[in-house]
């Protein structure tokens, strides 16, 4: 009987030990499983965060329209603007920068004058463009939904040229007929100059430069405004130069870049992207000045020597805005408001997008 009891007792002890070992194993398995699940959860969360970030970045990029519509002044066989912008497109520098942000095509459209370009911008046919300051200011004062994102140059010279055997001085224009592109920086220069010279009785007619050049040759008008290479060609052909705005710094023109608010809603970072691309193009241009002047000569169908005279590299601004450029814009705006060429006054800083 005692023997049987001892065998039962021994069996119970072995059973107890087995239960204890099994319990320990179960606990270890649970701990291991918890640890494994925790790691998996962490990795899954990390993967989810990464995927969400990538998705967000791709979504932002995909929201940018693949085609960008850009307008500029001056038709030419290369269909390119001048300045750092033109050089950047010519060399492909700007296109490469824009591709990084999902823009795969840039459509460039030339316009004969600023008012025509601003109409296309307002109607939505353009996303942004570079043009003279005067038509851009007049458009904004008239309610155009644009923002100013850059001022490429602030030394655009306007020329006042008379017909042969006609007026010899600005004062001789009293009672005469003068042509200009209404709404252009030359229009603002002309009105300002005549006011300074005390000329009050004159007839002002709107003509694009090619039409005005032909009218002057026929003697249909007494004088016209002009600029750039075309002005130098006229003067070289013997037409008298009555004045130019380099003698009146407050009447110089500047080139501005404006973007529609509709496009900004699609691509809020565009001003920064565009100005960085332009600055990169300008830096390259300065390393290849002779090639740049040949490029301008091809656009203007003239010689490098003439474009060096009318469009020197030193006139190009290497930042989006400068104090002297903004001061010129302010003076131009004030003049346009005073002369009732601009519908209402406004703060340049409200228009400007830094």
């Amino acid at each position: 009987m005692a023997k049987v009891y001892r065998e039962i007792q021994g069996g119970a002890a072995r059973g107890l030990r087995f239960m204890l070992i099994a319990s320990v194993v179960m606990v270890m398995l649970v701990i291991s499983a918890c640890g494994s699940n925790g790691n998996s959860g962490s990795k899954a969360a990390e993967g989810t965060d990464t995927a969400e970030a990538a998705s967000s970045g791709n979504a932002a990029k995909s929201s940018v329209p693949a085609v960008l519509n850009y307008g500029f002044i001056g038709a030419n066989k290369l269909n390119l603007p001048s300045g750092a912008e033109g050089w950047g497109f010519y060399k492909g520098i700007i296109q490469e920068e824009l591709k990084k942000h999902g823009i795969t095509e840039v459509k460039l459209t030339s316009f004969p004058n600023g008012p025509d370009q601003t109409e296309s911008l307002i109607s939505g046919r353009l996303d942004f463009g570079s043009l003279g300051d005067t038509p851009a200011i007049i458009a904004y004062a008239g309610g155009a939904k644009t923002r100013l994102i850059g001022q490429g140059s602030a030394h655009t010279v306007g020329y006042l040229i008379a017909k042969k055997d006609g007026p010899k001085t600005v004062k001789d224009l009293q009672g005469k007929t003068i042509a200009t592109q209404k709404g252009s920086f030359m229009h603002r220069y002309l009105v300002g100059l005549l006011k300074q010279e005390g000329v009050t009785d004159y007839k002002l007619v709107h003509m694009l430069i090619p039409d005005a050049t032909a009218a002057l040759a026929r003697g249909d008008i007494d004088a016209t405004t002009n600029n750039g290479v075309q002005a130098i060609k006229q003067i070289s052909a013997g037409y008298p130069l009555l004045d130019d705005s380099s003698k009146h710094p407050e009447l110089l023109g500047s080139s501005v870049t404006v973007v529609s608010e509709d496009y900004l809603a699609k691509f809020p970072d565009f001003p920064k992207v565009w100005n960085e691309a332009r600055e990169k193009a300008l830096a390259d241009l300065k390393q290849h000045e002779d090639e740049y002047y040949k490029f301008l000569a091809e656009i203007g169908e003239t010689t490098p020597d003439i474009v060096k005279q009318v469009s020197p590299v030193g006139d190009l601004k290497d930042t989006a805005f400068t104090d002297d450029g903004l001061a010129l814009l302010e003076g131009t705006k004030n003049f346009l408001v005073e002369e009732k060429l601009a519908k209402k006054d406004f703060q340049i800083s409200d228009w400007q997008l830094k």
Side-chain angles (χ1 to χ4, degrees), residues 119-190:
E119 285 181 11
S120 289
L121 190 62
I122 293 168
S123 68
R125 293 193 294 272
L126 293 179
D127 299 313
F128 81 120
S130 299
L131 68 162
D133 54 11
T134 297
I137 289 172
I138 290 174
Y140 182 76
K145 302 297 184 181
T146 64
R147 298 300 298 273
L148 174 68
I149 64 171
Q151 190 178 17
S153 68
H155 198 274
T156 308
V157 178
Y159 298 81
L160 180 58
I161 299 171
K163 67 180 181 180
K164 295 177 180 179
D165 299 321
K168 299 294 189 289
T169 68
V170 175
K171 291 186 182 296
D172 291 340
L173 292 175
Q174 185 78 13
K176 305 298 184 182
T177 300
I178 312 165
T180 192
Q181 290 185 180
K182 288 188 176 180
S184 70
F185 92 92
M186 292 179 293
H187 181 197
R188 192 261 306 178
Y189 155 63
L190 175 62

Side-chain angles (χ1 to χ4, degrees), residues 239-270:
Y239 291 89
L241 174 63
L242 301 183
D243 189 82
D244 70 76
S245 60
S246 67
K247 302 170 184 174
H248 318 275
E250 73 283 0
L251 296 179
L252 286 169
S254 67
S255 174
V256 299
T257 298
V258 296
V259 61
S260 73
E261 291 186 356
D262 284 344
Y263 187 74
L264 280 175
K266 302 171 188 174
F267 190 4
D269 289 336
F270 177 72

